[in-house]
Amino acid sequence: MSRNVIDVTDLTVEEIGELIAVAEDILAHPAKYQDLCKHKQLATLFFEPSTRTRLSFESAMLSLGGSVLGFSEANSSSAAKGETVGDTVRTVSCYADIIAMRHPKEGAPYAAAQFSEVPIINAGDGGHNHPTQTLTDLLTIHREKGRLSNFTIGFCGDLKFGRTVHSLVNALSRYENIRYILISPEELKLPRYVKEESLKKRGISYTQTTDLDSVIPELDVLYMTRVQRERFFNEEDYLRLKDSYVLTPEKLVHAKPDLSILHPLPRVNEIAVAVDRDPRAAYWKQVKNGKFIRMALILKLLNIPA
Ligand code: NCD
């Protein structure tokens, strides 16, 4: 049975530590890794739009000396003819050694994994989870802060539909002494199941607020997110909520000098472009980190020693 990563907790904390160490080593010595996946193939099955996740997976495999195949929209696959994800994945696992899959339906990568002969990586399932973005976020926090414990993190924006938030809250709940401040409009609060399963079950407390300004001075990490238009049931609600938070240089005046600002991207309007010049902005470094942690993950799931 091959090893899948559907949920971030499919990896132990120790394994995540190893992946971070390998990613750091790849960043420092990329040439050492350039042939490790020779003759291996990665399939990217994207039933939903993507820029960073799909291209970083592809770039990761190419930088390991492997090759890539796949599709980037459901309409160009037999899904358009009514094929099930199970049959699609069963087919693709005849051609590829490892599969990264994104799908608008929650649980689709889990269902697909039941039909696959090769490892399946969840590259985002609906409003549920996004474990490889979380690995990217953990690598970024580790590089920026030098630790994965003892800090205060604010999650800001669409905490209801933001799958990157759900996965990162879940992942961080296994580390020591993290304070969570959940900043969102009333309608876009973190779902109850995430609070129950990731926080309350582990006895972790959190603060909820609608006001970013009042908590920004307390934060070591600020995780901004976009309002997830495609998951709304009506456009009016989206239009009303989309600009709930806009991070500007003025808002950052009272933030800590060593704050790290993360965002999984794409950004719509929630971080002013002027913030990009602030040394606390870490989101473009985060984009780059995404490739290297995915290289480490591909090696691990293919059982190729780094
Ligand atoms: C995120 C996603 O797809 O969930 N993007 C990404 O993978 N970096 C965040 C988002 O779309 O808002």
Side-chain angles (χ1 to χ4, degrees), residues 79-257:
K81 302 179 187 169
E83 186 170 56
T84 63
V85 286
D87 284 357
T88 300
V89 160
R90 194 165 183 171
T91 302
V92 176
S93 74
C94 298
Y95 309 143
D97 301 286
I98 184 165
I99 297 174
M101 177 181 159
R102 169 171 287 187
H103 201 282
K105 281 220 175 80
E106 290 79 7
Y110 173 80
Q114 317 308 313
F115 297 89
S116 179
E117 303 284 327
V118 303
I120 299 274
I121 304 171
N122 177 4
D125 63 324
H128 188 215
N129 275 330
H130 194 346
T132 64
Q133 180 62 44
T134 297
L135 295 174
T136 303
D137 302 339
L138 294 175
L139 173 60
T140 305
I141 295 172
H142 192 263
R143 286 175 70 82
E144 295 302 304
K145 294 257 147 318
R147 62 185 191 278
L148 286 176
S149 51
N150 303 314
F151 59 79
T152 298
I153 182 165
F155 288 91
C156 179
D158 185 348
L159 311 190
K160 179 177 182 188
F161 295 116
R163 58 194 173 193
T164 66
V165 172
H166 307 161
S167 288
L168 184 54
V169 168
N170 193 16
L172 288 175
S173 70
R174 297 190 292 177
Y175 295 86
E176 294 297 308
N177 194 26
I178 295 176
R179 275 186 66 217
Y180 297 82
I181 304 187
L182 308 175
I183 309 145
S184 74
E186 281 299 325
E187 294 96 321
L188 298 179
K189 279 160 117 176
L190 192 68
R192 185 193 296 262
Y193 84 88
V194 182
K195 288 182 202 153
E196 293 287 341
E197 286 168 27
S198 303
L199 300 175
K200 289 188 185 158
K201 210 168 79 184
R202 295 194 159 92
I204 299 169
S205 58
Y206 54 85
T207 308
Q208 293 190 103
T209 176
T210 55
D211 183 18
L212 174 61
D213 294 344
S214 66
V215 294
I216 212 167
E218 297 176 45
L219 305 179
D220 300 302
V221 178
L222 172 56
Y223 195 90
M224 292 296 296
T225 62
R226 137 186 107 86
V227 176
Q228 306 276 302
R229 178 182 206 159
E230 66 275 35
R231 316 237 184 265
F232 273 69
F233 297 110
N234 69 68
E235 184 75 359
E236 267 160 53
D237 286 349
Y238 169 73
L239 293 174
R240 183 167 51 80
L241 294 167
K242 72 182 175 66
D243 291 326
S244 299
Y245 305 98
V246 181
L247 191 66
T248 58
E250 296 70 44
K251 284 200 189 285
L252 284 164
V253 168
H254 301 292
K256 288 186 183 173

Side-chain angles (χ1 to χ4, degrees), residues 19 23 26 46 52-58 60-61 64 98 100 102 121-123 130-136 139 286-300:
L19 290 175
I26 303 173
F46 278 60
R52 276 148 291 269
T53 305
R54 185 172 63 85
L55 295 181
S56 67
F57 262 116
E58 298 193 358
M61 191 50 150
L64 291 166
I98 184 165
R102 169 171 287 187
I121 304 171
N122 177 4
H130 194 346
T132 64
Q133 180 62 44
T134 297
L135 295 174
T136 303
L139 173 60
Q286 193 180 355
V287 171
K288 185 172 171 194
N289 293 337
K291 167 177 170 176
F292 295 92
I293 199 78
R294 289 183 173 99
M295 288 172 80
L297 182 65
I298 290 169
L299 290 172
K300 178 172 182 64

Side-chain angles (χ1 to χ4, degrees), residues 264-275:
L265 304 182
R267 123 176 92 183
V268 182
N269 202 28
E270 58 283 350
I271 301 185
V273 175
V275 175

